[in-house]
Amino acid sequence: MADGWNGGGGPDEKLVERFLDGKLTGNDVRAVTLHSWRRCQEAGLTPGTVQPRLLGDLDFDCGVVRAARPVFERLRTVVGGTPVSMFLGDANGVMFLRNEGEPALSRTLDAVGAAPGFRFAEADMGTNAFGSALVERRIFQVTGNEHFAEELRGLTGVGAPIRHPLSGRVNGVISVVGPNDTANAEMMVLVRRSVAAVEQRLFEMAADRERALMEEFLRAPDGGAPTASTPFDLCRRDRLALEDAAVRLVAQGRAAVVKMVISDGRTATLVAQPINGSTAIAVKARFTDGQRARPNRGR
């Protein structure tokens, strides 16, 4: 990857220090970068003292890691030997996976703690593509001297949050980092494609999980497929009301019962039950005539 990107180093050297001294004027820095520097200042960070936190007792088999691992394996040979490295982290900014670039770059990254097991959040390391993308909840580029920390200013990075395709929640982050003089727009392309691939994997994993929940539900003592007399003729308003109530029950994460009167006068009883062997919740709806509708959803 050649051809310098965004001028190679971003804003002028020591611009962060000018900002901290209150001497920054005009359009010296991008707005998103300035907002990040302000967050760093409010957190009490200084450019020469930031450091990542090494954490213990991490779950290296959590959902986002399981989803990303085959994606990173496929891209290992693409990244290997090139002047970039690629990272996966969770929603808290903890690094779990790293695809190695050139050995010299890997040594540089090791020296600043950009490795699995370390938390590289903005609150720890200041403005950086990996951590700031999580704060901004969007794709985020940091070029050279835009980094708050002195030791990161020789690097350019691009990061993007990973959103669960069903809930929309941010589950993690992917970033690509390389030296300023070799960084270019291909890094942005790699990040976008990698995030899309991991989000697709999350969707597939969720679909598998939902199928397993349904099978467990049907094996329950009072389970079984809906009969032809199940009241699927509910109006849209009733369906939405029942679905909303089911979502609230699932969010509680425990067994519970709620009764509702629907528009035709019947009483719908929603029963939330934990699924054996998991943290999931299945919700069933029963009506006054004893019939049962389909399970709404689980988690």
Side-chain angles (χ1 to χ4, degrees), residues 129-147:
F130 183 93
S132 298
L134 286 171
V135 177
E136 293 283 339
R137 304 175 72 84
R138 58 176 172 172
I139 198 159
F140 198 93
Q141 177 188 336
V142 182
T143 304
N145 296 322
E146 289 181 328
H147 286 93

Side-chain angles (χ1 to χ4, degrees), residues 254-291:
R254 57 182 173 80
V257 177
V258 171
K259 291 188 176 183
M260 300 174 56
V261 177
I262 59 177
S263 58
D264 63 5
R266 287 177 294 174
T267 297
T269 302
L270 297 180
V271 181
Q273 296 177 319
I275 296 297
N276 294 335
S278 77
T279 60
I281 301 293
V283 179
K284 296 175 283 188
R286 297 183 180 279
F287 294 81
T288 51
D289 57 5
Q291 296 171 325

